[in-house]
Amino acid sequence: DAGITQSPRHKVTETGTPVTLRCHQTENHRYMYWYRQDPGHGLRLIHYSYGVKDTDKGEVSDGYSVSRSKTEDFLLTLESATSSQTSVYFCAIRGNTDTQYFGPGTRLTVL
Amino acid sequence: AQRVTQPEKLLSVFKGAPVELKCNYSYSGSPELFWYVQYSRQRLQLLLRHISRESIKGFTADLNKGETSFHLKKPFAQEEDSAMYYCALSGQSKRSQGNLIFGKGTKLSVKP
């Protein structure tokens, strides 16, 4: 499992509320990623980080922000959740061989 | 633009039949390609990486640069192979180096 955990694993929230998802790794890898998984769309990159305080946008970054204040944690924030952000969110790290390893996912429902 | 296409949303086969999951890509240069598998409600797991040329769980995939394809094959499907399969391409632009571009996935269903 490459030492990757995500919290919470499930969350139900209401439209307009802020939501923060946490990804934690124990392997000290530099690169971390947030994806969303939706039927018919596969996985799409939201944001990624290439070091502490170094982040960049992915394909579907609108409505999301990220922070990385220490190597082991990468936070994804929905400032004001919308129903279109109902999805399964996966965190990933890039290992030494450039292969990405995924966390268990967070299932988010926005009502 | 870099793109990964998996033309089949669903592939249904009987146990013991051969399986081929198609993946085509568009990319200029030397691609780095992966197959990931996701069993029901679990995390994605790396199945194959083209550069390693391994065979995992009986699956193989060969990179065909002429046809820009990286199809996943298994000679005899098992029921436990039922899962979602994603093909992915590693981006090579300076900005996106190492980022993965995923296809939309193919759901494999192996019937008894």
Side-chain angles (χ1 to χ4, degrees):
Chain A
D1 293 347
I4 308 168
T5 56
Q6 293 183 230
S7 59
R9 294 293 313 281
H10 298 88
K11 186 168 181 68
V12 180
T13 191
E14 292 188 350
T15 299
T17 59
V19 176
T20 295
L21 308 182
R22 178 180 182 241
C23 177
H24 179 80
Q25 60 147 330
T26 59
E27 304 290 324
N28 204 36
H29 291 295
R30 182 180 168 197
Y31 285 84
M32 297 183 76
Y33 306 81
W34 276 109
Y35 294 89
R36 59 177 290 172
Q37 181 184 42
D38 303 289
H41 291 276
L43 278 86
R44 292 177 292 175
L45 181 65
I46 305 172
H47 282 279
Y48 65 101
S49 171
Y50 46 97
V52 173
K53 298 187 179 177
D54 291 324
T55 65
D56 204 350
K57 295 179 180 180
E59 178 188 357
V60 290
S61 59
D62 287 348
Y64 301 94
S65 62
V66 289
S67 65
R68 192 163 177 208
S69 59
K70 45 186 178 177
T71 300
E72 58 265 37
D73 289 327
F74 191 32
L75 304 180
L76 177 71
T77 297
L78 291 65
E79 301 289 349
S80 177
T82 67
S83 58
S84 65
Q85 292 176 312
T86 292
S87 186
V88 181
Y89 292 85
F90 285 98
C91 173
I93 58 96
R94 178 146 62 105
N96 296 331
T97 58
D98 288 345
T99 298
Q100 289 191 22
Y101 298 94
F102 287 80
T106 294
R107 190 170 293 272
L108 175 68
T109 302
V110 183
L111 301 175
Chain B
Q2 297 165 7
R3 187 180 300 143
V4 176
T5 303
Q6 293 180 252
E8 303 138 330
K9 285 186 179 179
L10 174 65
L11 183 63
S12 185
V13 302
F14 286 103
K15 177 182 173 182
V19 171
E20 182 179 68
L21 298 165
K22 291 184 168 52
C23 172
N24 289 91
Y25 65 91
S26 63
Y27 178 75
S28 55
S30 295
E32 189 164 1
L33 288 151
F34 303 81
W35 276 100
Y36 281 85
V37 60
Q38 184 182 31
Y39 300 103
S40 181
R41 298 209 165 209
Q42 294 187 23
R43 71 180 74 201
L44 274 79
Q45 304 172 34
L46 177 69
L47 183 60
L48 281 177
R49 184 181 174 194
H50 94 271
I51 200 168
S52 65
R53 300 186 66 82
E54 289 178 298
S55 172
I56 305 293
K57 300 184 179 182
F59 285 97
T60 59
D62 290 319
L63 178 62
N64 186 323
K65 291 187 179 180
E67 296 183 357
T68 59
S69 68
F70 188 55
H71 302 329
L72 184 68
K73 299 177 184 179
K74 185 169 183 177
F76 308 104
Q78 303 298 316
E79 288 181 69
E80 55 264 32
D81 295 329
S82 295
M84 195 75 174
Y85 291 80
Y86 291 98
C87 184
L89 170 70
S90 180
Q92 292 295 307
S93 68
K94 191 172 182 181
R95 176 171 175 261
S96 65
Q97 189 170 18
N99 291 355
L100 289 179
I101 300 159
F102 283 88
K104 294 184 179 181
T106 298
K107 184 174 182 179
L108 175 64
S109 174
V110 181
K111 298 179 180 178

